[in-house]
Amino acid sequence: MNEGIKEIHLLNLSHTDFGYTDLPSSAWDYLAGNIHLAMDYCEETKNYPLESRFKWTVESIWVLERFLEQAEKKDIDRFDRLVADEVIEVTAMPGNMTCLTGLHEWENELDRLSFIYEKYRPKVAIQDDVNGVPLEMINSLLKRNVKHMVMGANAYSGGTPEPSPSVFWWKDQADQRILMYNGEGYANAFDYFHTKGF
């Protein structure tokens, strides 16, 4: 562990990896189920000191869409209340997207999901474990009022263009820009607390 680290901020989310660790049909169910668990933990800790309260980040709009399709009204109301209380945050990416997605496909999917953008107004996009995103994505996200992005690129293929962790402006050819936090991969936090693998 780095002796210079004085404080660690943990971002609670379930990494969205359809088809890698399990069949996509199975992953849908347990990822949507994680939202139910997160709501339970948020409510169980609501009287804890502020810094000890559980908070949750919905990384994937596709998972939220699945939750909203299957949940009872009382659970949707409960979710909406926790979002309003800023205990749960909805982020802007449908999932961890490949760089091979074309602009037409990408824009059509974001338009299809406009009901979530309009209701929850996500401000941050999370892209984790995928090495990069299409440059045109900057304009697409800015059009939906998303001005920040968190990236945890896989560094095993030779590193990342910017050091990790770091903050920089990600710009397109038209000089539009999004503030990018280039963080470590989702598995790196294990090394902060353990000296060997499990």
Side-chain angles (χ1 to χ4, degrees):
M1 182 170 175
N2 185 332
E3 296 300 325
I5 296 174
K6 303 293 184 201
E7 188 173 343
I8 296 174
H9 297 264
L10 299 177
L11 185 67
N12 290 313
L13 55 85
S14 54
H15 178 52
T16 309
D17 226 338
F18 295 113
Y20 184 70
T21 57
D22 209 338
L23 292 172
S25 55
S26 301
W28 276 124
D29 291 335
Y30 64 72
L31 288 167
N34 284 344
I35 295 177
H36 289 278
L37 291 173
M39 293 192 299
D40 290 343
Y41 298 148
C42 289
E43 290 175 343
E44 286 174 18
T45 62
K46 67 181 179 183
N47 295 321
Y48 285 23
L50 185 60
E51 66 277 5
S52 301
R53 294 175 194 166
F54 186 85
K55 294 187 175 183
W56 184 253
T57 303
V58 177
E59 179 194 27
S60 166
I61 290 179
W62 284 332
V63 172
L64 176 58
E65 180 183 29
R66 182 72 165 218
F67 166 81
L68 295 172
E69 288 171 352
Q70 295 178 340
E72 296 179 19
K73 183 182 183 308
K74 66 180 177 61
D75 288 322
I76 295 172
D77 291 344
R78 183 180 172 212
F79 179 85
D80 291 349
R81 186 182 72 252
L82 291 166
V83 170
D85 291 344
E86 298 182 344
V87 180
I88 291 181
E89 180 177 10
V90 174
T91 62
M93 295 289 280
N96 291 303
M97 306 303 292
T98 173
C99 296
L100 301 176
T101 306
L103 183 59
H104 179 74
E105 296 170 290
W106 171 250
E107 280 291 330
N108 280 347
E109 185 59 10
L110 296 191
D111 286 346
R112 187 187 72 78
L113 296 167
S114 62
F115 70 99
I116 288 180
Y117 289 102
E118 289 164 9
K119 182 173 183 179
Y120 296 107
R121 303 193 181 281
K123 301 295 182 205
V124 177
I126 295 179
Q127 174 84 346
D128 199 39
D129 198 24
V130 178
N131 293 329
V133 285
L135 196 57
E136 292 86 359
M137 194 178 286
I138 292 176
N139 183 53
S140 295
L141 292 172
L142 288 173
K143 282 194 312 190
R144 291 160 179 89
N145 206 29
V146 178
K147 298 177 182 174
H148 303 89
M149 189 161 196
V150 174
M151 175 85 71
N154 240 325
Y156 61 75
S157 58
T160 58
E162 296 289 333
S164 171
S166 64
V167 177
F168 62 94
W169 287 106
W170 181 36
K171 298 181 189 179
D172 67 8
Q173 292 99 334
D175 208 34
Q176 297 184 104
R177 60 188 194 168
I178 286 180
L179 188 60
M180 173 77 79
Y181 172 72
N182 186 38
E184 295 180 324
Y186 62 90
N188 291 46
F190 179 88
D191 298 331
Y192 291 154
F193 303 99
H194 304 86
T195 55
K196 59 182 180 179
F198 51 88

